[in-house]
Amino acid sequence: MNPTIVSRFRRDVSFTGEHLDLAGTAVPLKALTPGQGAALKLLADGDRDDAELAAAVTALDGETGLLRWHMLFRGLNTSGLVEHAVREDREDRADGEDGGTRESREVIARLRLVGRGTTLLAPAPAGPARLSRFAEARVVDGTLTLQAPGRHLAVELAPRAAGLLGELAAWSTGVPAPILRLLATAGLLAPGGPGEDVETAERSHAQWHPGDLAFHARTRTPASASGYGGTHPLGDRFPPEPVSPPPAGTRTVALPVPDLERIAAADPSLTEVLERRRSIRAQDTEAPITLDQLGELLYRSLRRRGTMTGGDGQELADRPYPSGGAVHELEVYPLVTACEGVPPGLWHYATDRHELELVAEPGRATAALVSEARGAAMLEADPQVVLLVAARFGRVMWKYETVAYPLVLKHVGVLYQTLYLVATAMNLAVCGLGGGDAAAFATASGRDPLLEGTVGELVLGSRPRMEG
Ligand SMILES: Cc1cc2nc3c(=O)[nH]c(=O)nc-3n(C[C@H](O)[C@H](O)[C@H](O)COP(=O)(O)O)c2cc1C
């Protein structure tokens, strides 16, 4: 291996001879010397090493032109217009009869700008190097790509170089410096060294699971990932999902529509509700929650009050609680064990029709969900109702990219609080849960967990009489 660092303009940058063009926008340059113009042309044509660029400058500007070229090149790197790679220059023995050799050049690693920032190269570490435990490897458009959380640069590896990742799983001095420079620039190398592993020793690093940090960084560091806001990543490949899910089943239970005027007149004040709200982990087994109460809670918290169409053609909804972009991807599945007027089973609440649709009769799969919720809430008996909150992921992911999943989790919180407050006003016992089993819900409901999966759950029932 004879690896060398080479550079070229980013794929979306072109050179007109006078100025640079960045994805259709002109980037002005100070008056160029002939040597600078020649070197920029080389960068626009493909990967060049420092020596090739310097030779082009000195041929036209003389040795004195080099300092100004280095300043210009540094400025291009600071603006993130250049990308770097490691090229392997080899002499291969040719197969022909003459037994001669043939030179081959192959790029084995490339530093790519995937967000916003500079492409100034960092030095290779002086001592042994190791991959960061937060480094994430993915296949992107057929290429193995590594990125560290929150970093705007990624490193693409050709198959010849991919084995180096195994070498770098432990502190090593066996990896060529040019490759280490790319990895260091992309923040992919662990800080510290053998005997001082910062990533496990220091609280700031040790407390993070790589998956959590990658998720947090992707969604909260716009410079490290494009795709903030309504980018419609699937807009030209799939139609938006309708606001109403397909009907769940043939067996339904109509819910009475509560009289909101009467309720508003009798309700405790907002302050009283907020001050009274508690998580209640006991239920009155003698007098379970009723169909009327379940219907009122669902109606007041999440019924569909209206349907609209967004400017992008996606159907939107209006419900009592807020939702980013009004996409309202959350569906509530009451899993009933004891509710006067509703047979036990897994039901779906149709927010538009205000009715329950039977998804599954009670069975082993629903019993597993009940027992998990009972354990999580430390209840002495099975909860009368488990409100399983599922997300129809496509409703958000059709429109949003980096904020899609975080929005779902925020919506779960908003819905939890709405259910807590309405249940408190109605004197019901409710307790939110911090975890659940999306696979168990998929088994019980028959839903494809990649299309619709549980993201939250609460236990609900009548309030024990002694609780007042
Ligand atoms: C998102 C969330 C997750 C929760 N997870 C659980 C849980 O798994 N089990 C449980 O018994 N309580 C759970 N709770 C209830 C909290 O323990 C409770 O809110 C906290 O102790 C404060 O008590 P309070 O709700 O009565 O004010 C959860 C609450 C929230 C908001």
Side-chain angles (χ1 to χ4, degrees), residues 324-405:
V327 296
H328 279 299
E329 78 291 357
L330 297 182
E331 300 291 323
V332 169
Y333 291 78
L335 173 52
V336 174
T337 65
C339 173
E340 197 194 307
V342 182
L346 178 63
W347 299 84
H348 169 251
Y349 175 60
T351 58
D352 50 343
R353 301 187 301 278
H354 188 53
E355 65 181 17
L356 297 177
E357 311 167 293
L358 187 65
V359 175
E361 300 278 0
R364 196 184 290 184
T366 59
L369 287 166
V370 170
S371 112
E372 184 159 0
R374 175 178 170 170
M378 297 163 286
L379 291 174
E380 281 175 9
D382 281 349
Q384 293 163 13
V385 180
V386 185
L387 294 176
L388 295 153
V389 181
R392 295 171 64 213
F393 300 114
R395 293 275 307 152
V396 259
M397 291 175 179
W398 182 81
K399 176 171 182 181
Y400 298 108
E401 266 176 276
T402 59
V403 293
Y405 199 81

Side-chain angles (χ1 to χ4, degrees), residues 365 369 372 388-391 393 405 435-450 452-457:
L369 287 166
E372 184 159 0
L388 295 153
V389 181
F393 300 114
Y405 199 81
D437 186 341
F441 174 76
T443 306
S445 66
R447 302 281 185 273
D448 178 342
L450 293 180
E452 182 175 1
T454 43
V455 284
E457 37 277 296

Side-chain angles (χ1 to χ4, degrees), residues 10 74 105 123 180 200 212 230 246 260 334 407 431 445 465-466:
R10 261 162 53 183
R74 189 180 170 79
R105 295 175 147 195
L180 291 178
T200 48
D212 286 340
L260 285 184
L407 271 187
C431 179
S445 66
R465 262 158 272 181
M466 62 280 197

Side-chain angles (χ1 to χ4, degrees), residues 25-373:
T25 307
V27 181
L29 295 168
K30 283 193 192 141
L32 296 171
T33 64
Q36 288 173 342
L40 293 184
K41 188 161 181 324
L42 287 180
L43 283 177
D45 287 347
D47 294 303
R48 304 293 170 171
D49 63 34
D50 280 351
E52 292 170 273
L53 295 168
V57 173
T58 49
L60 294 167
D61 297 351
E63 291 284 330
T64 51
L66 273 182
L67 181 60
R68 286 179 66 191
W69 161 248
H70 285 142
M71 284 168 61
L72 173 61
F73 191 54
R74 189 180 170 79
L76 296 173
N77 275 283
T78 306
S79 307
L81 297 169
V82 176
E83 61 183 31
H84 307 284
V86 173
R87 191 180 64 202
E88 202 183 21
D89 300 345
R90 283 199 314 267
E91 281 198 351
D92 294 334
R93 197 171 301 167
D95 287 340
E97 279 180 6
D98 61 355
T101 56
R102 192 179 51 200
E103 260 191 31
S104 73
R105 295 175 147 195
E106 187 189 351
V107 164
I108 56 170
R110 189 177 293 283
L111 187 70
R112 295 287 313 279
L113 192 74
V114 290
R116 293 191 307 272
T118 80
T119 49
L120 286 168
L121 281 171
R130 201 203 69 198
L131 264 190
S132 162
R133 74 179 184 90
F134 298 110
E136 223 185 28
R138 283 193 307 271
V139 174
V140 181
D141 298 332
T143 303
L144 183 65
T145 304
L146 275 92
Q147 194 180 354
R151 299 303 183 116
H152 61 282
L153 296 163
V155 172
E156 296 177 347
L157 290 181
R160 287 181 64 80
L164 296 173
L165 295 186
E167 175 76 25
L168 283 170
W171 296 104
S172 164
T173 50
V175 175
I179 300 262
L180 291 178
R181 287 192 76 187
L182 297 199
L183 295 173
T185 307
L188 287 158
L189 297 180
E196 49 152 339
D197 191 344
V198 174
E199 290 190 333
T200 48
E202 285 192 12
R203 182 193 182 123
S204 55
H205 289 66
Q207 68 189 355
W208 282 98
H209 183 278
D212 286 340
L213 189 56
F215 177 52
H216 171 66
R218 176 174 137 76
T219 63
R220 302 297 314 177
T221 322
S224 73
S226 57
Y228 176 77
T231 56
H232 300 91
L234 301 180
D236 52 358
R237 296 177 49 209
F238 302 98
E241 284 192 16
V243 68
S244 302
T250 46
R251 196 161 156 208
T252 57
V253 170
L255 297 169
V257 173
D259 179 346
L260 285 184
E261 263 182 45
R262 187 190 55 77
I263 288 169
D267 250 354
S269 73
L270 176 63
T271 303
E272 210 180 320
V273 170
L274 282 165
E275 295 306 311
R276 252 184 23 209
R277 187 212 58 77
R278 292 248 70 90
S279 296
I280 300 175
R281 299 177 185 78
Q283 303 178 347
D284 186 351
T285 44
E286 305 290 307
I289 186 170
T290 65
L291 168 121
D292 281 10
Q293 289 172 316
L294 179 60
E296 180 180 328
L297 175 75
L298 295 170
Y299 187 89
R300 292 175 66 178
S301 304
L302 68 141
R303 77 178 184 288
R304 180 145 10 124
R305 296 189 296 203
T307 310
M308 308 83 79
T309 303
D312 55 11
Q314 186 176 24
E315 280 182 321
L316 305 173
D318 172 46
R319 295 182 185 179
Y321 70 91
S323 167
V327 296
H328 279 299
E329 78 291 357
L330 297 182
E331 300 291 323
V332 169
Y333 291 78
L335 173 52
V336 174
T337 65
C339 173
E340 197 194 307
V342 182
L346 178 63
W347 299 84
H348 169 251
Y349 175 60
T351 58
D352 50 343
R353 301 187 301 278
H354 188 53
E355 65 181 17
L356 297 177
E357 311 167 293
L358 187 65
V359 175
E361 300 278 0
R364 196 184 290 184
T366 59
L369 287 166
V370 170
S371 112
E372 184 159 0

